[in-house]
Amino acid sequence: MPDLTRGATFAGHRIEGVAGRGGMGTVYRATHLALDHVVALKVIAADLAADDAFRERFRSESRIAVSLRHPNVVPIHHAGEEEGLLFVTMDLIDGPDLRKLLIAGGPLPPDRAVAIIGQVASALDVAHSRGLVHRDIKPGNILVETDRGDHAYLTDFGLAKRFDQAGEAGALTRTGAFVGTLDYVAPEQIRGGRVDARTDVYALGCVAYEAIAGRAPFADREENVAKIYAHLQDEPPWLPGDSGIAGALDEVVARALAKEPADRYPSAGDLARAAAAAIEGHEVLRSAERSVATGRAAPETGEPEAPAIDTTVESAAAPGAAVAAAPAAPTEPAAAPTEPAAAPTEPVGAGELTATDEASGRHATAPAATVATAGAPRAGAPAGPRWGRIGAAAAILAAIAVAAVVALGGGDDGETATGGFAKPKLAGAPIDVAGWPVAIAASDGTIAVAAREGEAVQFIDEDSAKVAGETKLPGPGQSVVISDGSAWATAPTADAVVKAPLDGGPTETIGVGQGPIGITADGEAVWTADSESVALSKIDPTSGAVADPIPLDAAAFPAEVATGGGSVWVVDRDNAILLRVDAGDTSLQQDFPLGSNPKGVVIGAGSVWVANTDDHNVVRLGMDGNEQDEIDVGGKPRLLAYGFGRVWVANGNGSVQAIDPADDNSVQSVEVPGSPEGVAVGSRQVWVTTGDGDQVVRIDPGAAS
């Protein structure tokens, strides 16, 4: 297909020039004529567009890709057909792809490479959480805006495939073909087996290696057959350099490139966090690892899960030298390599599990995450398997690791958990608060509880744990905050906020936007999220004056709200987004994707935390809105609070979770009666409302151990 000429009009766009070419087609710099906006317009190669199966996949996957909103995913605007040609338009990213960056400047410093990989991993975790597998992770599909501090974007989801209950991974591919690029293709793709999120983890591990080493792990194999065999059988080579960082990163790459999916990191985010920890010279707790993928992008049921305990103990002198326990062997893969690796002729003893490279002095141990493909050692490699999984040796290592965890202070007595804090537990008798208590706030020795059916705010004295009074509301209470010596509560059906001074002064009813639900305060203003008028209201806490409504253009049902970092953060339930509104200039607004039915939001530990109720998790985002992690808490997480060094999650399944941000987001849980809805942090305890349980309960947070 000849290139579209500069100045030509195509699908409502004026062609400005060629931005790039690839195997799937040509990318043009183009101006959308109606909006006068410059975009990247990708026209699919004619031979692909002529394939009926490809056209079907292009249409279905374009719809999915358009809905994937994330700071590290190139936003797609439109996909369609014009003059018999398939095309897609997306944001034009002003920066090179990672491949060009490496060609121009050579290998990246490890910290720079890991920072880029972390952003790509964040995008992949979101895609995987929506049942989408990219299947073609490579440097050419990672764009980097270097003038924005190496802001990375993952692009070209055209090869991605969403899995549902009716289809398999290769349902729309030609028989016998795999989708991907040979330098980064996972063994299961070569074998024609099932692919899932861990297939992308393998490819991301290859990209991480290339970013640091300057070439893909098996790029020295000149023939395609040799590359295929290497992906199936060979261990990745050492990373260049002889530092402890390089040695620690070797083990991260080894696990990412494990031959069997079950032996890899369960999520791209786990890979990125392990790489960052290697750079920083500390360990990452395996107990916090888990898959974030859903649907058919998730591992098949019945596969072994990540270890429930931390199975890595590091030497303070050598961060890269670790002793790791191997999990039970996974079930056999659906299809094995045509030439399986030879088994060792002699059993491997515990003393042979740590090898030293005589040239570099670096140590390599048998990590829990890798498979035994122990053929002939590569040239220059230390004797013995670097990443073997031998039954007897694994059992010995597991025993060593468990003993080490117990010796370091972890136990099974129920009082100490892996999070570095004593286990939280219920404290004192429940406090009766009638009328379906939902939201709760704590400050200055007072606990304020908003009751829905009771249409009131009830006040509890923190020291005596007794109800000390109440203030009636003009309708069902929904949310409450304590600020400037008063409790502020929303009454959505009355379109009002009630200000109740803690010193017993007269209450004041303040009209705001329609249907105020969430409420927060930043010391200078009180803010409400008005669900029906789809706006923010700003109240002067001294005069009670309300500023003009602040429209939230990207929202549909704004609900909960928090303040921090000079911004107001609003959770929109219907559009499943988090909006960041500049508190000084409220016209400056950004939105970021969330999970299903998001509710609570809180700021703490330099992060923004949001509960995705129907996804059973809490998502952690940076103060720039960039997603960092998803923490599975199960049940129905609702409202959140931060204090005592942890994020507290009121979970409708009859529990409260404590997330430790400083310990790889490890989670502790305590059962509480009723159906928890609200949570607040007092001076000594955590306070929780039980909703239809008509009670407030207290939790001893547990001191640092």
Side-chain angles (χ1 to χ4, degrees), residues 82 346 415 689:
E82 181 85 358
E346 295 183 7
E415 292 301 317
T689 62

Side-chain angles (χ1 to χ4, degrees), residues 373-433:
T373 51
R378 66 186 184 282
R386 179 181 171 200
W387 298 290
R389 186 191 340 61
I390 312 300
I396 294 171
L397 278 179
I400 294 173
V402 172
V405 170
V406 173
L408 290 174
D412 57 1
D413 60 359
E415 292 301 317
T416 305
T418 59
F421 289 90
K423 184 176 176 60
K425 56 187 177 182
L426 287 175
I431 303 164
D432 292 332
V433 178

Side-chain angles (χ1 to χ4, degrees), residues 453-628:
E453 290 183 351
E455 299 187 359
V457 173
Q458 300 187 53
F459 298 98
I460 301 173
D461 179 76
E462 187 173 13
D463 291 332
S464 66
K466 294 181 179 180
V467 176
E470 73 172 23
T471 294
K472 297 301 292 183
L473 301 175
Q478 184 63 41
S479 189
V480 64
V481 67
I482 298 177
S483 180
D484 293 290
S486 295
W488 304 76
T490 58
T493 60
D495 299 334
V497 169
V498 171
K499 175 184 178 182
L502 299 183
D503 61 7
T507 61
E508 182 180 358
T509 300
I510 303 168
V512 291
Q514 298 174 348
I517 294 181
I519 190 166
T520 189
D522 59 11
E524 297 183 0
V526 176
W527 304 82
T528 65
D530 305 328
S531 60
E532 294 183 18
S533 54
V534 192
L536 271 177
S537 288
K538 181 180 180 181
I539 307 171
D540 184 303
T542 302
S543 67
V546 182
D548 291 338
I550 303 159
L552 301 173
D553 295 334
F557 189 82
E560 303 302 332
V561 62
T563 53
S567 298
V568 184
W569 302 83
V570 186
V571 171
D572 187 82
R573 293 185 187 175
D574 282 2
N575 286 348
I577 57 174
L578 176 68
L579 293 96
R580 181 174 65 183
V581 180
D582 188 286
D585 183 355
T586 54
S587 66
L588 300 178
Q589 301 182 15
Q590 290 179 285
D591 58 275
F592 309 96
L594 295 172
S596 181
N597 192 19
K599 290 187 179 177
V601 57
V602 72
I603 312 298
S607 300
V608 186
W609 307 77
V610 182
N612 293 319
T613 303
D614 291 350
D615 283 346
H616 323 297
N617 64 34
V618 172
V619 62
R620 180 180 188 176
L621 304 99
M623 297 304 290
D624 59 356
N626 184 26
E627 183 174 326
Q628 297 178 342

